[in-house]
Amino acid sequence: MKTWRRCLFAAASCAVMWNSMRSGLVCAAQPEVTEGVSAALSLADIERFTLEHHPALNEAGAEIEVARGKAVQAGLYPNPIWYAASPQWAGNISQYNTFLGQDFITGSKLKLDQQAAHRSMWQQEWQAVQTRQDVLKSVRQAFYVAVVAEQRLKVYAQMLAIAEKSSALSNDLLKAGEISQADVLSLETEAQLAQTNLDNAEVQWSASQRKLAAATGVPQWQATSLQANLKAELPEYDEDSLREVVLADHSPSQRSRIEIDRMGV
């Protein structure tokens, strides 16, 4: 009885989590994507976009509907079957017969089958929760990598502008006799180094954009600018409270508990 109540509570919790995210799992098969959004996008914007377009979330929603249909079908009585046969083919003395067959389910097997099917459906719902968290984890990691790459690009662009300005001023100072040719060459070298760093930063920024687009599930989509506060302090979590939340909502653990209960049906 305790196992049944625990699994029922897990299924109810999963149903609440599933309903809260279900709207994010239903999207068009061919989403219309704006190429190159001009406004700076936050992590919340990227997550919302991902929940609307990621194919893995659509697949997770479809798997739940399949499991739900099987759960309904498992509780239905089998359809009668019409049979026809010919045990003897011999011209005028050929024999033909036909009959109606029906399976009779006894011992509350239909009820047990449906209970097992419902547990399979609950497992699919928890799997959808895990898929959602895995997708969002990948998006968050790719987002902050891209934010760092974009800010690095801006810094190197500023450094190149300063180096080019210093190099241009050095020629004037050389003509005035204030510095030597070696100083001019040194500043030109710094400008070339700044250009190389900027080129590398552009490659890293482009790569991070593609990785972020892949994480959202729409590779052809691209964000031209991102916004995030990299200096924000991390939130403090109470270890005991966090442990309770993880134990209550950890998808693999819940699926394992439901599987154990399903095997006992």
Side-chain angles (χ1 to χ4, degrees):
M1 180 63 71
K2 291 183 178 179
T3 302
W4 161 253
R5 289 179 178 176
R6 183 167 58 249
C7 290
L8 184 60
F9 174 76
S13 301
C14 182
V16 172
M17 297 177 67
W18 167 251
N19 289 332
S20 66
M21 74 176 198
R22 188 174 183 180
S23 59
L25 300 182
V26 179
C27 68
Q30 296 291 338
E32 295 182 359
V33 181
T34 302
E35 294 289 346
V37 181
S38 59
L41 298 176
S42 66
L43 177 59
D45 297 327
I46 303 296
E47 288 180 346
R48 183 166 53 253
F49 178 85
T50 301
L51 293 177
E52 293 174 354
H53 298 93
H54 203 288
L57 301 182
N58 284 335
E59 182 182 1
E63 291 291 344
I64 290 178
E65 295 304 321
V66 170
R68 182 175 289 112
K70 290 181 178 180
V72 173
Q73 187 66 33
L76 301 179
Y77 215 77
N79 293 326
I81 302 176
W82 186 272
Y83 297 93
S86 178
Q88 177 177 314
W89 279 25
N92 294 333
I93 60 173
S94 297
Q95 298 178 1
Y96 303 95
N97 59 61
T98 180
F99 58 93
L100 186 66
Q102 173 67 62
D103 292 335
F104 294 94
I105 311 300
T106 60
S108 301
K109 293 185 179 66
L110 283 179
K111 182 178 179 181
L112 295 175
D113 288 344
Q114 191 171 44
Q115 289 179 356
H118 273 115
R119 284 158 178 77
S120 296
M121 182 186 69
W122 297 343
Q123 287 179 308
Q124 287 297 334
E125 290 176 344
W126 279 110
Q127 179 62 50
V129 173
Q130 181 177 351
T131 299
R132 180 179 187 271
Q133 296 302 325
D134 290 342
V135 167
L136 291 179
K137 179 187 70 175
S138 298
V139 167
R140 290 162 183 165
Q141 291 175 341
F143 174 81
Y144 281 106
V145 170
V147 168
V148 172
E150 182 183 10
Q151 294 192 8
R152 182 188 296 114
L153 178 64
K154 293 178 180 179
V155 170
Y156 280 132
Q158 294 174 357
M159 292 177 63
L160 176 60
I162 294 173
E164 288 179 340
K165 185 177 180 180
S166 299
S167 179
L169 290 175
S170 67
N171 291 319
D172 297 335
L173 293 174
L174 178 63
K175 294 177 182 179
E178 297 293 334
I179 60 176
S180 65
Q181 184 65 37
D183 295 325
V184 175
L185 293 176
S186 176
L187 291 172
E188 289 178 351
T189 302
E190 290 294 333
Q192 293 174 359
L193 178 61
Q195 181 63 59
T196 301
N197 290 334
L198 179 60
D199 293 340
N200 292 335
E202 288 177 347
V203 172
Q204 293 175 356
W205 165 236
S206 179
S208 65
Q209 284 179 301
R210 291 193 296 270
K211 290 181 179 179
L212 179 58
T216 64
V218 187
Q220 70 271 24
W221 174 80
Q222 183 179 7
T224 58
S225 182
L226 303 172
Q227 62 176 0
N229 183 11
L230 298 178
K231 297 181 179 180
E233 295 184 1
L234 296 177
E236 295 183 1
Y237 296 100
D238 180 71
E239 185 176 351
D240 294 334
S241 300
L242 186 61
R243 185 184 300 108
E244 292 178 0
V245 171
V246 170
L247 292 177
D249 297 332
H250 189 244
S251 179
S253 299
Q254 294 294 353
R255 293 204 316 275
S256 298
R257 293 190 183 100
I258 295 173
E259 176 64 17
I260 293 174
D261 187 58
R262 187 181 71 86
M263 297 299 293
V265 173

